[in-house]
Amino acid sequence: MQPDELTALFERARTLSQQQHTWAEADRVWGEVIDAYRAALRSSGPVNRRDQQQLARALWRRGMLAAARGDLTASTTLGQEAVVAFAEVHDAVRREEPSATGPRRDEALAEMIVALLDLGESAFAAGQPATRLALIGRALEVGLHTAGPPPGAGPKTREAMGTAYHNHANALVHRALTGDPTGDDAREAALAASRAAELRQALADPSRPLSMWELANTYAVYAQCLALIGDFDRARTVLQLGTELANLLGPAGVEIVAKLRVAADMVQLRQPEAADGERRRWGWRRR
């Protein structure tokens, strides 16, 4: 298959993945894409870096589609293959571009981190919260070891690390609320959420609505963390920031508003009088 034909097939699979009624067809076409890129990489001659990267992306996208369809076994298997493929891409790019902040290296590193995080979410959906935390920890370790502290990393890596810290906070909050917390889960979660908020604040751009949604989402998790550790003043401040941003998002912010209500309920349970005042001011009620 010629390069332009491969590209067209990839785009067809991506387009089909956007509508639920064509998910089954999308899955079939992703299978063709993966087979085609594997065949191209088996051909003689030097490895085509673009084909290698597109194979990793196809595995990842098909895994995400499997998760959306509820096929957690396929999602996990494809996610594991994607992580290996993205790691191979990153290793190859590292030899060609030593600086972790170079554009190609930054992109390869960010994609590897995101693949690890998405595999973690698939594990969580499959009832494996400990595996999720381990994969998040691995993603954070890869980012910090390779690019150093996130503020000095490339833009795509900073964005990926913002997601990693957000997911870490979310996972720790879940364990603190539903399981047997280990050590200082709540404080670790608050620290992770603080780091996620810092990164996402720097990346927030009104011209990129997704960046604003991600920041508001982190505020919702951060407020829950602060409620858990009893830092009610900061919790109310973060609740206010999250509410203002979620309101600006309109319908896209509905899910986040629900999370903010959960955080407000958590504050009320731990400091009823203060939280009641906030509810009267914002007009929120328990649901």
Side-chain angles (χ1 to χ4, degrees):
M1 191 175 290
Q2 296 300 310
D4 57 341
E5 293 176 314
L6 275 171
T7 299
L9 191 63
F10 187 101
E11 288 304 313
R12 180 167 177 247
R14 193 171 66 85
T15 299
L16 289 168
S17 299
Q18 294 172 0
Q19 300 292 331
Q20 187 170 355
H21 69 277
T22 56
W23 279 356
E25 176 67 4
D27 181 67
R28 185 188 67 76
V29 177
W30 278 126
E32 293 182 9
V33 171
I34 290 166
D35 289 343
Y37 275 112
R38 280 178 170 155
L41 288 167
R42 284 196 298 267
S43 63
S44 59
V47 174
N48 184 305
R49 198 70 62 227
R50 171 68 175 175
D51 287 351
Q52 189 181 29
Q53 188 175 46
Q54 287 293 86
L55 172 60
R57 289 169 174 171
L59 288 164
W60 172 71
R61 285 184 177 276
R62 194 183 189 191
M64 291 300 95
L65 179 63
R69 299 179 72 197
D71 189 346
L72 299 178
T73 299
S75 176
T76 299
T77 300
L78 288 161
Q80 290 169 340
E81 291 183 62
V83 166
V84 171
F86 278 123
E88 290 174 350
V89 171
H90 179 259
D91 286 344
V93 172
R94 179 173 52 188
R95 292 191 291 270
E96 301 162 1
E97 189 174 81
S99 173
T101 58
R104 292 176 59 234
R105 180 87 180 279
D106 176 42
E107 180 180 59
L109 177 58
E111 289 187 324
M112 180 169 58
I113 291 169
V114 170
L116 282 164
L117 296 173
D118 286 339
L119 179 57
E121 294 309 299
S122 293
F124 179 68
Q128 301 171 33
T131 301
R132 175 205 206 183
L133 274 166
L135 287 163
I136 293 171
R138 183 177 162 195
L140 288 167
E141 182 180 3
V142 165
L144 291 170
H145 177 74
T146 305
K156 292 184 183 297
T157 300
R158 290 200 303 273
E159 187 172 352
M161 290 295 281
T163 302
Y165 282 121
H166 173 93
N167 286 15
H168 195 210
N170 207 29
L172 289 171
V173 166
H174 179 269
R175 187 165 70 177
L177 290 175
T178 64
D180 182 15
T182 302
D184 293 326
D185 274 357
R187 293 197 176 279
E188 287 184 35
L191 181 58
S194 175
R195 288 170 174 164
E198 182 181 3
L199 285 167
R200 288 182 163 180
Q201 283 167 350
L203 292 165
D205 180 353
S207 68
R208 293 194 306 118
L210 179 59
S211 70
M212 307 301 284
W213 186 94
E214 288 177 336
L215 176 58
N217 196 31
T218 288
Y219 282 147
V221 174
Y222 192 14
Q224 293 180 32
C225 297
L226 292 169
L228 281 174
I229 64 174
D231 193 341
F232 301 113
D233 288 341
R234 277 204 297 170
R236 288 192 294 274
T237 298
V238 172
L239 277 168
Q240 183 66 46
L241 290 170
T243 300
E244 292 172 356
L245 192 51
N247 287 339
L248 288 175
L249 291 169
V254 171
E255 178 185 346
I256 294 171
V257 168
K259 291 181 180 180
L260 289 164
R261 287 198 183 102
V262 171
D265 286 344
M266 290 169 67
V267 172
Q268 183 189 43
L269 288 171
R270 289 161 174 78
Q271 196 182 43
E273 294 181 3
D276 283 345
E278 291 301 307
R279 286 177 176 279
R280 285 192 293 272
R281 183 157 65 90
W282 295 341
W284 288 355
R285 296 292 183 271
R286 294 198 69 174
R287 295 184 178 183

